Amino acid sequence: MFHVTVRDHFMAAHSFRGDVFGPAQALHGATFVVDASFRRPELDEDGVVVDIGLASARLAEVLADLNYRNLDEDPAFKGANTTTEYLAKVIADRLAERIGAGELGEGARGLTGLQVTLHESHVAWAGYEREL
Protein backbone atom coordinates (compact mmCIF):
# COMPACT_ATOMS: atom_id res chain seq x y z
CA MET A 1 0.00 0.00 0.00
CA PHE A 2 1.36 3.42 -0.97
CA HIS A 3 0.80 6.49 1.16
CA VAL A 4 1.54 10.21 1.19
CA THR A 5 1.34 12.35 4.32
CA VAL A 6 0.92 16.11 4.57
CA ARG A 7 1.25 18.11 7.77
CA ASP A 8 -0.25 21.32 9.14
CA HIS A 9 -1.40 22.61 12.52
CA PHE A 10 -4.15 24.51 14.28
CA MET A 11 -4.73 26.20 17.62
CA ALA A 12 -8.01 26.03 19.50
CA ALA A 13 -9.56 26.43 22.92
CA HIS A 14 -11.89 23.88 24.51
CA SER A 15 -12.87 22.21 27.76
CA PHE A 16 -13.98 18.71 28.68
CA ARG A 17 -16.79 17.23 30.74
CA GLY A 18 -15.97 14.39 33.11
CA ASP A 19 -13.77 13.85 36.12
CA VAL A 20 -11.37 11.73 34.07
CA PHE A 21 -10.12 14.97 32.47
CA GLY A 22 -9.02 16.58 35.74
CA PRO A 23 -7.81 20.14 35.19
CA ALA A 24 -8.64 19.93 31.46
CA GLN A 25 -12.28 20.35 32.47
CA ALA A 26 -11.49 24.07 32.55
CA LEU A 27 -11.17 26.06 29.35
CA HIS A 28 -7.65 25.63 27.95
CA GLY A 29 -5.78 26.04 24.70
CA ALA A 30 -4.21 23.40 22.53
CA THR A 31 -1.92 23.48 19.51
CA PHE A 32 -2.28 20.37 17.38
CA VAL A 33 0.15 19.24 14.70
CA VAL A 34 -1.95 17.34 12.17
CA ASP A 35 -0.76 14.62 9.80
CA ALA A 36 -3.12 13.46 7.05
CA SER A 37 -2.03 10.27 5.28
CA PHE A 38 -3.68 9.28 2.02
CA ARG A 39 -3.32 5.68 0.82
CA ARG A 40 -3.96 3.58 -2.25
CA PRO A 41 -2.81 0.18 -3.53
CA GLU A 42 -1.40 1.49 -6.83
CA LEU A 43 0.02 4.79 -8.01
CA ASP A 44 -2.01 6.91 -10.40
CA GLU A 45 -1.04 7.50 -14.04
CA ASP A 46 1.38 10.23 -12.93
CA GLY A 47 3.11 7.89 -10.49
CA VAL A 48 1.79 9.52 -7.31
CA VAL A 49 -0.65 8.69 -4.53
CA VAL A 50 -2.31 12.10 -4.61
CA ASP A 51 -1.43 15.63 -5.70
CA ILE A 52 0.50 16.76 -2.63
CA GLY A 53 -0.28 20.43 -3.29
CA LEU A 54 -4.02 19.79 -3.40
CA ALA A 55 -3.82 17.53 -0.34
CA SER A 56 -1.99 20.26 1.60
CA ALA A 57 -4.46 22.92 0.48
CA ARG A 58 -7.53 20.86 1.42
CA LEU A 59 -6.05 20.03 4.85
CA ALA A 60 -5.37 23.74 5.41
CA GLU A 61 -8.99 24.54 4.52
CA VAL A 62 -10.35 21.96 6.95
CA LEU A 63 -8.10 23.21 9.73
CA ALA A 64 -8.97 26.86 9.02
CA ASP A 65 -12.50 26.09 10.25
CA LEU A 66 -11.01 25.04 13.62
CA ASN A 67 -8.10 27.45 13.97
CA TYR A 68 -8.23 30.14 16.67
CA ARG A 69 -11.69 28.98 17.73
CA ASN A 70 -13.27 28.12 21.03
CA LEU A 71 -14.64 24.71 20.09
CA ASP A 72 -17.04 24.84 23.05
CA GLU A 73 -18.90 27.62 21.21
CA ASP A 74 -19.10 25.82 17.85
CA PRO A 75 -22.62 24.41 17.26
CA ALA A 76 -21.09 21.49 15.33
CA PHE A 77 -19.56 20.24 18.59
CA LYS A 78 -22.51 20.83 20.91
CA GLY A 79 -22.56 18.09 23.54
CA ALA A 80 -19.26 16.55 22.41
CA ASN A 81 -15.98 16.28 24.25
CA THR A 82 -13.59 17.56 21.58
CA THR A 83 -10.82 15.15 22.54
CA THR A 84 -7.85 14.58 20.30
CA GLU A 85 -9.40 11.33 19.11
CA TYR A 86 -12.74 12.99 18.37
CA LEU A 87 -11.10 15.82 16.42
CA ALA A 88 -9.05 13.35 14.37
CA LYS A 89 -12.30 11.78 13.17
CA VAL A 90 -13.88 15.15 12.42
CA ILE A 91 -10.88 16.17 10.31
CA ALA A 92 -10.75 12.80 8.51
CA ASP A 93 -14.46 12.95 7.70
CA ARG A 94 -14.19 16.51 6.42
CA LEU A 95 -11.24 15.55 4.22
CA ALA A 96 -13.14 12.51 2.95
CA GLU A 97 -16.01 14.81 1.90
CA ARG A 98 -13.57 16.88 -0.16
CA ILE A 99 -12.08 13.76 -1.73
CA GLY A 100 -15.56 12.56 -2.65
CA ALA A 101 -16.36 15.96 -4.17
CA GLY A 102 -13.31 15.73 -6.43
CA GLU A 103 -11.45 18.57 -4.68
CA LEU A 104 -8.17 16.61 -4.61
CA GLY A 105 -8.23 15.99 -8.35
CA GLU A 106 -9.26 13.08 -10.52
CA GLY A 107 -6.23 11.04 -9.45
CA ALA A 108 -7.56 11.02 -5.90
CA ARG A 109 -10.51 8.87 -6.99
CA GLY A 110 -8.19 5.88 -6.57
CA LEU A 111 -7.59 6.57 -2.87
CA THR A 112 -8.79 3.76 -0.63
CA GLY A 113 -7.97 5.05 2.83
CA LEU A 114 -7.20 8.06 4.96
CA GLN A 115 -5.54 8.36 8.36
CA VAL A 116 -5.45 11.54 10.43
CA THR A 117 -3.13 11.87 13.40
CA LEU A 118 -3.24 14.79 15.84
CA HIS A 119 -0.11 15.38 17.90
CA GLU A 120 -1.06 17.24 21.04
CA SER A 121 2.54 17.24 22.26
CA HIS A 122 5.87 15.64 21.46
CA VAL A 123 4.93 12.67 23.67
CA ALA A 124 1.20 12.15 23.02
CA TRP A 125 -0.95 11.82 19.91
CA ALA A 126 -4.11 10.12 18.70
CA GLY A 127 -5.65 9.39 15.35
CA TYR A 128 -8.47 8.04 13.27
CA GLU A 129 -8.28 5.83 10.20
CA ARG A 130 -11.06 5.31 7.70
CA GLU A 131 -11.75 3.68 4.38
CA LEU A 132 -12.78 5.80 1.42
Side-chain angles (χ1 to χ4, degrees):
M1 189 69 64
F2 295 96
H3 68 273
V4 164
T5 301
V6 295
R7 176 175 276 186
D8 205 333
H9 75 283
F10 73 98
M11 295 177 271
H14 61 168
S15 61
F16 298 128
R17 291 177 324 283
D19 291 340
V20 68
F21 295 105
Q25 292 176 83
L27 185 65
H28 62 281
T31 300
F32 296 99
V33 174
V34 182
D35 292 328
S37 296
F38 303 84
R39 70 172 193 264
R40 64 188 300 155
E42 296 180 13
L43 299 177
D44 73 6
E45 62 186 33
D46 295 313
V48 299
V49 172
V50 69
D51 181 318
I52 200 166
L54 290 175
S56 295
R58 297 302 81 83
L59 177 60
E61 290 170 2
V62 167
L63 298 184
D65 291 338
L66 304 171
N67 203 22
Y68 293 108
R69 305 271 314 273
N70 179 346
L71 303 180
D72 294 349
E73 296 174 353
D74 188 324
F77 303 128
K78 183 178 171 96
N81 271 335
T82 52
T83 62
T84 306
E85 299 91 299
Y86 179 87
L87 291 172
K89 182 179 185 318
V90 167
I91 293 166
D93 290 346
R94 291 178 181 183
L95 281 172
E97 289 173 7
R98 284 168 168 76
I99 293 166
E103 295 177 22
L104 273 81
E106 275 305 307
R109 299 241 183 252
L111 293 171
T112 60
L114 172 64
Q115 180 175 349
V116 172
T117 304
L118 271 65
H119 302 262
E120 55 180 287
S121 76
H122 66 289
V123 297
W125 55 90
Y128 180 76
E129 187 172 349
R130 60 168 287 163
E131 299 300 317
L132 295 174

